[in-house]
Amino acid sequence: MTVKLAPTSASETVHSATLCPSSRNSMEGAGAGGGSGSASPEPQEAPAPAVEFHEDEEIIEVLELNDAEPDPDDLASDMEDVDFADEPEAGEMADEEWETEDEGVEEGAEPHDDSELTFSKHTVCVIPSASVFCVSLDPKESILAVTGGEDDKAYVWRICDGETLFECTGHKDSVTCACFSHDSSMVATGDMGGLLKAWKVQGGEEIWSFEVGDLEWLEWHPGAPVLLAGTADGNTWMWKIPSGECKTFQGSNCPVTCGQFLPDGKKAVVGYEDGSVRIWDLKQGSTVHVVKGSDGHNGPLTCVSSNADGSLVLTGSVDCDTKMVNTATGKVVGVFRTESNVSKASKREEGEAETNSVESVGFCNVLPLAAVGYLDGTLAIYDISTQTLRHRCQHESGIVRLLWEDNSPVVYTCSLDGAVRLWDSRSGKMISEYCGHTAEILDFALNKEATTVVTASGDHKAKVFCVQQPDR
């Protein structure tokens, strides 16, 4: 764009425009080339030199000054009359486009949030930022979530708008377990102190309560109104709800650190602090198999997970090993280790401090693959057939939990950096990442359609993320 300035009078004229620095330099260079910096002895009129501008520049105002040194106060007064809010003319850059030049998150500002909804009712006067420890989605329709937190409460709420259906009150300690029954008709909640409750979802009525020792984990039967729980006194408990009919399964004289119903609903796999694993016949109340000693782990178990038909079980431990157990024979048929974990195991045997551990495990339903999540941030994808490591997917911080999609080779992870990530197990590449929390994610749930993720975090919030469907 070329701008021609009007002829000047005998007195010296200085042309000044409010432009970006590059434009101002262009004008100064043009002024120097035209000799406008000194007055001629004889007044004469001549057109000022043409000044070239880039397409995205404009003159906001032309100020005419006399020979005297311009007064800063006068300049400031003149600039007050400039209207910076004028609408840009055709072909000129819009205001919002200019503003992108200094984009960025200011110090103290909230980080980028990919979530569709935030649930933040887990607060109390003495703990203004109570951690949310657990979350579960109703399996029937995936329209409700239940979250338990450090405020000694659980909430049942709608994930579409965050509306609370009811509060689960009366707990004496942090609610660390909360889950829906298989038909979404009931919710079970448990606190660290061992107080368990069951509630009707329709109406929010408390229908059952029981107190045990310190609670380690809690889970519903896959097809019946039956609860299973493990406690620090070494017992595994099973109740019919709401009648309260109870059975106990006494294992090692140490905490029952993890457990799960097998898919047939007739057996359960349970892990213990002493590194042993037991498979229980729930009807007979007896052990079918015990995995211990050299076949067991060298430290407390942290997680267990079965495949779709219950024929195989993965067990994870603080010893950084993952073992695959045949549930029919009780034999260990595979041990998964990464190279880094082998060296860490050696250090552990030598008495050096060890901070890594297996935190979560799971089988893929559509390919012969298994995933293992480690506290050091490693997601390892193993080939079950060859028992070899296929991919190592590194996170910047520790993995808390992993979940596979039901009908695809995509695995989800949540981690201590507050993000949820999707990984393609075939390539080992990250598909997408969802952020929004300001503290670690402690638990998450995924609906069957793999369209919604709900997270629980140490920042006292639960969040709902709508997952974009990648090519499966």
Side-chain angles (χ1 to χ4, degrees):
M1 178 179 67
T2 301
V3 178
K4 293 185 178 181
L5 306 181
T8 62
S9 62
S11 60
E12 179 183 46
T13 302
V14 178
H15 300 276
S16 175
T18 306
L19 300 168
C20 65
S22 62
S23 303
R24 189 175 297 113
N25 293 339
S26 299
M27 289 195 65
E28 290 172 355
S36 63
S38 60
S40 61
E42 295 296 329
Q44 59 181 3
E45 293 185 0
V51 183
E52 296 291 336
F53 294 93
H54 298 290
E55 291 182 357
D56 58 351
E57 298 171 344
E58 61 173 312
I59 291 179
I60 294 177
E61 187 176 1
V62 176
L63 303 177
E64 293 194 1
L65 308 176
N66 55 25
D67 295 334
E69 180 93 6
D71 189 313
D73 292 336
D74 293 336
L75 285 174
S77 177
D78 289 338
M79 292 303 292
E80 290 176 356
D81 297 329
V82 179
D83 185 6
F84 290 96
D86 289 342
E87 289 294 325
E89 297 179 2
E92 294 176 346
M93 183 174 286
D95 291 341
E96 59 267 23
E97 293 177 302
W98 283 98
E99 292 170 1
T100 59
E101 183 178 351
D102 294 321
E103 281 184 349
V105 179
E106 297 181 2
E107 185 176 354
E110 288 293 320
H112 176 68
D113 191 350
D114 297 311
S115 68
E116 299 294 321
L117 183 143
T118 299
F119 183 83
S120 54
K121 289 194 175 181
H122 285 280
T123 57
V124 291
C125 295
V126 293
I127 310 176
S129 296
S131 294
V132 185
F133 291 118
C134 54
V135 61
S136 174
L137 279 170
D138 84 274
K140 189 174 181 180
E141 296 181 333
S142 296
I143 60 175
L144 301 177
V146 58
T147 50
E150 196 175 1
D151 55 355
D152 303 350
K153 291 181 182 179
Y155 291 88
V156 176
W157 49 279
R158 288 198 301 255
I159 64 172
C160 63
D161 57 9
E163 184 69 25
T164 300
L165 268 66
F166 61 93
E167 295 182 24
C168 303
T169 59
H171 284 284
K172 303 174 183 179
D173 207 336
S174 298
V175 177
T176 54
C177 300
C179 46
F180 285 93
S181 61
H182 74 284
D183 59 0
S184 301
S185 65
M186 292 181 285
V187 162
T189 58
D191 64 35
M192 290 180 66
L195 179 59
L196 309 179
K197 293 178 179 289
W199 315 76
K200 275 189 177 179
V201 172
Q202 187 68 35
E205 175 191 359
E206 181 183 328
I207 56 174
W208 174 81
S209 181
F210 196 89
E211 196 156 4
V212 293
D214 292 347
L215 182 66
E216 296 285 336
W217 54 272
L218 175 69
E219 122 160 358
W220 283 99
H221 189 279
V226 174
L227 276 173
L228 192 70
T231 54
D233 58 10
N235 285 318
T236 302
W237 302 73
M238 187 172 70
W239 303 270
K240 285 186 178 179
I241 306 300
S243 69
E245 184 181 341
C246 178
K247 277 187 177 182
T248 58
F249 308 89
Q250 180 65 49
S252 302
N253 294 318
C254 62
V256 184
T257 53
C258 54
Q260 183 188 59
F261 281 105
L262 292 181
D264 65 3
K266 299 177 181 179
K267 296 185 288 293
V269 56
V270 177
Y272 298 84
E273 190 179 65
D274 64 0
S276 65
V277 179
R278 282 173 166 78
I279 297 175
W280 289 93
D281 183 311
L282 300 176
K283 185 175 182 179
Q284 299 298 325
S286 58
T287 55
V288 179
H289 302 292
V290 180
V291 182
K292 62 180 181 179
S294 60
D295 288 333
H297 288 275
N298 293 323
L301 269 80
T302 55
C303 50
V304 295
S305 181
S306 76
N307 63 352
D309 63 9
S311 61
L312 295 172
V313 167
L314 289 173
T315 64
S317 167
V318 298
D319 64 5
C320 293
D321 288 345
T322 301
K323 300 198 173 188
M324 186 164 61
V325 180
N326 184 311
T327 57
T329 64
K331 300 296 183 182
V332 175
V333 294
V335 179
F336 302 111
R337 295 189 182 115
T338 63
E339 293 179 4
S340 61
N341 291 332
V342 171
S343 63
K344 290 176 182 179
S346 299
K347 290 182 179 180
R348 184 174 58 253
E349 291 173 359
E350 294 169 3
E352 296 183 23
E354 180 52 60
T355 58
N356 198 19
S357 62
V358 175
E359 294 298 311
S360 189
V361 294
F363 287 97
C364 177
N365 287 342
V366 297
L367 292 175
L369 301 174
V372 180
Y374 296 89
L375 186 59
D376 69 355
T378 301
L379 171 66
I381 307 295
Y382 294 99
D383 188 309
I384 295 174
S385 304
T386 61
Q387 298 190 17
T388 56
L389 177 67
R390 287 187 60 171
H391 301 293
R392 187 199 304 267
C393 312
Q394 199 61 45
H395 299 61
E396 293 185 1
S397 58
I399 295 171
V400 176
R401 190 178 184 190
L402 66 84
L403 292 172
W404 287 92
E405 286 190 4
D406 282 346
N407 301 309
S408 85
V410 175
V411 61
Y412 293 58
T413 59
C414 70
S415 55
L416 296 176
D417 61 4
V420 173
R421 295 176 177 88
L422 282 65
W423 303 86
D424 188 334
S425 62
R426 296 164 296 189
S427 65
K429 302 296 184 182
M430 186 175 72
I431 299 170
S432 54
E433 178 182 63
Y434 296 89
C435 302
H437 285 291
T438 57
E440 67 278 5
I441 295 178
L442 301 173
D443 193 14
F444 80 109
L446 174 68
N447 69 341
K448 288 184 178 180
E449 296 76 20
T451 57
T452 303
V453 168
V454 184
T455 55
S457 171
D459 62 8
H460 83 269
K461 297 179 177 69
K463 287 181 178 288
V464 179
F465 296 89
C466 291
V467 180
Q468 296 179 356
Q469 293 293 303
D471 293 335
R472 299 299 198 246

